[in-house]
Amino acid sequence: MSSRENEHPATPSLEREPYRISQDAVATIVIFGATGDLAGRKLIPAIYNLWTAGFLPKRLAVVGVARRDKTDNDFRTEMCEALKRHSRTGHGESETCDPFVRNLFYYRTDFSDAQGFAGLKRRLAEIEQSGGFCGRRLYYLAVGPEFFGPIVDALGEAGLVTPPGEEPWTRVVIEKPFGRDLTSAQELNARLLKVLHEDQIYRIDHYLGKETVQNIFAFRFGNAIFEPLFNQHYVDHVQITVAETVGMEQRRGAFYDKTGALRDVIQNHALQLLCLAAMEPPTRFQATEIHNEKVKVLQSVVLPTQAPLRTWCVRGQYAEGPGFRGYLSEEGVAPDSLTETYVALRLYVDNWRWAGVPFFIRTGKALKRRVTEIAVQFKRVPTCCFRDRGLDLPEPNVLVFRIQPDESISLTFNTKPPGMEFRLQHVPMDFTYHGTFKSGLPEAYERLLLDALRGDSTLFMRADEIESAWRICTSILDVWRTAPPPELYRPGTWGPSEADQIFVGCEGAWRQPE
Ligand code: BG6
């Protein structure tokens, strides 16, 4: 054993436990909102993929709960169809999904009906008894946010929640959006914590389950050579982009119009990416340590709210253009809506590591490309020794975590192209998932569902993390209350041209990823 290992004696940890869940330990998965979009597109396919890959035992119970009348068989048939369309492992026409869907059950109730929950309790007991399941339960709330509180209250009142630390355990996964602002998030946390212990609550942000997002931990804290550069001495600025080409997709207008890009993407996905890019190395790769470090980042964020709004924040709304009828004409959207479909922000993480380094964050719908990335732009060399050869300061190095699509990590640097002339050319050094790993990437929901079943909350969000993110977004929402309406932008572009202004006084401009 090396002296290093001696310093850290083996302690029992989650990572030493198996990732595969055994037959006698598997929890009943109860999905509220089982007839909704998320269940059919993501959750059931994720459970199916975990099951096919052997992470879940052959016999398990997945109970769909929703308000529509349906039999077990109806639900199974519908989920078979959903698997054909959405399963990553390509559940084809010719295959039979029978062996899997026999594990699916359906129960109808309103989400705040005490009788309904009493009935659910009996139904779950029946299913678990006849299947010989251990009675552990993972409740997944894939419902509108207005039902999070009532469902958790009703679970508590019906005696469907085991006290923390007792077997068979109870855990609850809560989907986003978690609140609409700081106050509502605090109220929701307080309400949930009356029934559940923090350790039983798994607040999901599916971005944290993406392979490429988890790889930021591996890259930053598994290599000695990059971390010393991640600070204000070497980094000029960081750009975080979560860009989508889709608009309301004929189905999301009503939800989106009440939400907007800030609440839909910045409060969760984009700020989580900021946390991973900016956090200190955790002492251990465990939930508490990771959450502590992320909260410190969020608490250090400052917005230049004293400066004119346009210099640090731009909101936009897509107008009519190729393939789009314009946000205001989308179904479910108010014709005079001020909801933003684009946000660009400049903020600072005011701690010793990052003081003075601008973080530029943008997200939007109907943009030019679908791309999510974190680009760390380093400072230029201090002086140019190639001036005599007619060259200017070389291009700065850029490290890009491409979260999706074309998942990769790339570092650009300057080289001399072959030939008699001395020139510099900016070239990339690329690691691509596609080129290196032959297996496909698991879906985020597979990782997260398995982690919730294993009791690992590292990739979920703690109450104070959510609230700290809301503190940032609520101060923006407050400024917007008296701000001019969103800038219009043409679909298929990189957003409103006003967003370029937020680079004023800094080196660089928005990247235009290919
Ligand atoms: C969701 C948002 O959380 O994330 C959607 O509600 C957005 O508006 C989606 O389209 C993006 O997720 P992904 O995984 O497709 O990048």
Side-chain angles (χ1 to χ4, degrees), residues 273-387:
L273 294 180
L274 167 79
C275 286
L276 301 197
M279 68 190 265
E280 293 299 320
T283 42
R284 307 181 61 175
F285 195 55
Q286 297 281 356
T288 309
E289 279 80 355
I290 303 278
H291 293 150
N292 288 348
E293 296 305 338
K294 287 192 333 189
V295 167
K296 283 190 219 161
V297 172
L298 294 169
Q299 287 177 344
S300 310
V301 166
V302 290
L303 298 167
T305 42
Q306 303 308 319
L309 184 62
R310 66 177 188 287
T311 60
W312 63 274
C313 180
V314 170
R315 59 175 170 163
Q317 190 181 74
Y318 64 83
E320 195 181 334
F324 289 86
R325 49 185 169 163
Y327 179 69
L328 294 182
S329 310
E330 298 277 12
E331 212 178 303
V333 171
D336 55 353
S337 173
L338 292 179
T339 299
E340 76 289 355
T341 60
Y342 174 95
V343 184
L345 271 184
R346 166 174 171 172
L347 54 77
Y348 292 87
V349 177
D350 195 21
N351 59 19
W352 272 53
R353 186 189 275 264
W354 293 113
V357 177
F359 285 76
F360 297 98
I361 302 183
R362 64 179 163 170
T363 186
K365 299 273 185 196
L367 295 181
K368 186 161 185 177
R369 301 233 182 292
R370 173 177 176 256
V371 53
T372 300
E373 63 168 37
I374 303 174
V376 180
Q377 178 159 327
F378 292 93
K379 292 190 170 165
R380 289 182 189 260
V381 295
T383 181
C384 179
C385 66
F386 307 116
R387 283 221 169 87

Side-chain angles (χ1 to χ4, degrees), residues 44-322:
I44 297 291
I47 297 169
Y48 173 75
N49 293 338
L50 288 170
W51 180 86
T52 328
F55 289 103
L56 297 179
K58 285 297 154 211
R59 277 188 318 103
L60 75 156
V62 179
V63 183
V65 180
R67 288 169 292 179
R68 287 186 218 155
D69 261 327
K70 226 179 262 298
T71 63
D72 285 347
N73 270 340
D74 296 337
F75 185 54
R76 289 172 183 173
T77 312
E78 283 171 20
M79 291 305 114
C80 252
E81 282 309 306
L83 287 177
K84 278 179 200 149
R85 263 178 286 137
H86 304 298
S87 164
R88 158 179 85 84
T89 49
H91 183 87
E93 291 289 335
S94 55
E95 293 167 63
T96 162
C97 46
D98 256 22
F100 172 73
V101 297
R102 264 187 259 129
N103 295 317
L104 305 186
F105 303 86
Y106 185 80
Y107 180 78
R108 195 213 81 81
T109 181
D110 282 335
F111 294 145
S112 49
D113 168 17
Q115 292 301 317
F117 276 72
L120 175 63
K121 188 178 183 181
R122 288 192 295 275
R123 184 80 204 279
L124 290 176
E126 258 164 47
I127 294 170
E128 285 164 353
Q129 244 166 31
S130 63
F133 299 117
C134 67
R136 292 177 172 180
R137 305 226 177 107
L138 182 72
Y139 299 110
Y140 197 116
L141 273 47
V143 292
E146 65 279 23
F147 296 115
F148 296 159
I151 291 178
V152 170
D153 287 349
L155 286 171
E157 278 155 26
L160 281 161
V161 174
T162 314
E166 286 182 23
E167 284 287 355
W169 54 247
T170 302
R171 293 179 194 140
V172 181
V173 181
I174 314 267
E175 263 295 333
K176 66 179 272 277
F178 195 97
R180 288 189 56 70
D181 53 20
L182 178 57
T183 310
S184 56
Q186 285 168 330
E187 284 167 5
L188 181 56
N189 273 328
R191 185 166 177 181
L192 301 183
L193 287 165
K194 280 193 184 138
V195 180
L196 301 161
H197 186 270
E198 176 65 33
D199 293 348
Q200 297 174 296
I201 306 175
Y202 287 67
R203 299 174 195 80
I204 207 164
D205 178 334
H206 78 278
Y207 262 58
L208 292 176
K210 289 183 189 274
E211 274 293 324
T212 38
V213 173
Q214 295 171 63
N215 210 1
I216 300 171
F217 289 117
F219 182 91
R220 285 195 58 202
F221 309 132
N223 296 294
I225 60 171
F226 302 106
E227 197 45 30
L229 305 179
F230 264 57
N231 57 53
Q232 38 108 357
H233 298 295
Y234 297 100
V235 174
D236 182 78
H237 72 261
V238 178
Q239 292 191 30
I240 299 177
T241 299
V242 182
E244 297 185 88
T245 49
V246 292
M248 293 302 108
E249 303 172 274
Q250 269 99 50
R251 61 190 169 92
R252 301 203 67 216
F255 159 79
Y256 197 87
D257 206 34
K258 287 190 254 116
T259 309
L262 186 81
R263 292 186 172 100
D264 190 39
V265 170
I266 300 282
Q267 190 275 339
N268 34 72
H269 310 328
L271 287 181
Q272 285 296 320
L273 294 180
L274 167 79
C275 286
L276 301 197
M279 68 190 265
E280 293 299 320
T283 42
R284 307 181 61 175
F285 195 55
Q286 297 281 356
T288 309
E289 279 80 355
I290 303 278
H291 293 150
N292 288 348
E293 296 305 338
K294 287 192 333 189
V295 167
K296 283 190 219 161
V297 172
L298 294 169
Q299 287 177 344
S300 310
V301 166
V302 290
L303 298 167
T305 42
Q306 303 308 319
L309 184 62
R310 66 177 188 287
T311 60
W312 63 274
C313 180
V314 170
R315 59 175 170 163
Q317 190 181 74
Y318 64 83
E320 195 181 334

